[in-house]
Amino acid sequence: MNEHGIGKPLDYIERCWREQDPGRRTTLIAWHEGRFAGWLHLLQTSVYPPFAEQGIPEINNFDVVPARRRLGIGNALMDAIEARAFERSAKVGIGVGLYHAYGNAQRLYAKRGYIPDGRGIADHGVPVEPETTVYVGHDLALWLIKERPAGSAT
């Protein structure tokens, strides 16, 4: 997927394909004008321990091809995956990176009603303690939750 600006190793893509199962992982892929535009996954068991312990499914690895952003593709993917998540759970979670490359995602999640889970930032899913040094990379994240809208089907 490197030609799309979404660098994922082939073994990761193959693992996602093998894990396709509504009880484990659901992957949605978006196309725009006949070309790959983005994807995201719903993990029934989150990689973030607090979500896993509470049974909160996780939206994971959400990517929209940079050249196809701001066309509504991300919102369409999120609408579809949230609908699936809310069929099984009253809440859905997502982690977002903290540096500038995640700025669009941070804004999108806030606009969609996601709020911090209240545990602060985590590195590789482990809460960061005060006065520690961390590496600012893809695994340093703020974890967010969205509740099923009132009146939605259970």
Side-chain angles (χ1 to χ4, degrees), residues 35-52:
R35 299 184 72 188
F36 174 77
W39 70 350
L40 53 64
H41 309 275
L42 181 67
L43 305 178
Q44 282 307 141
T45 302
S46 176
V47 300
Y48 178 53
F51 287 179

Side-chain angles (χ1 to χ4, degrees), residues 87-109:
E87 288 173 1
R88 296 179 173 206
S89 177
K91 298 177 182 179
V92 65
I94 193 166
V96 65
L98 300 178
Y99 61 92
H100 67 88
Y102 291 96
N104 288 335
Q106 293 164 359
R107 293 172 52 84
L108 176 68
Y109 304 154

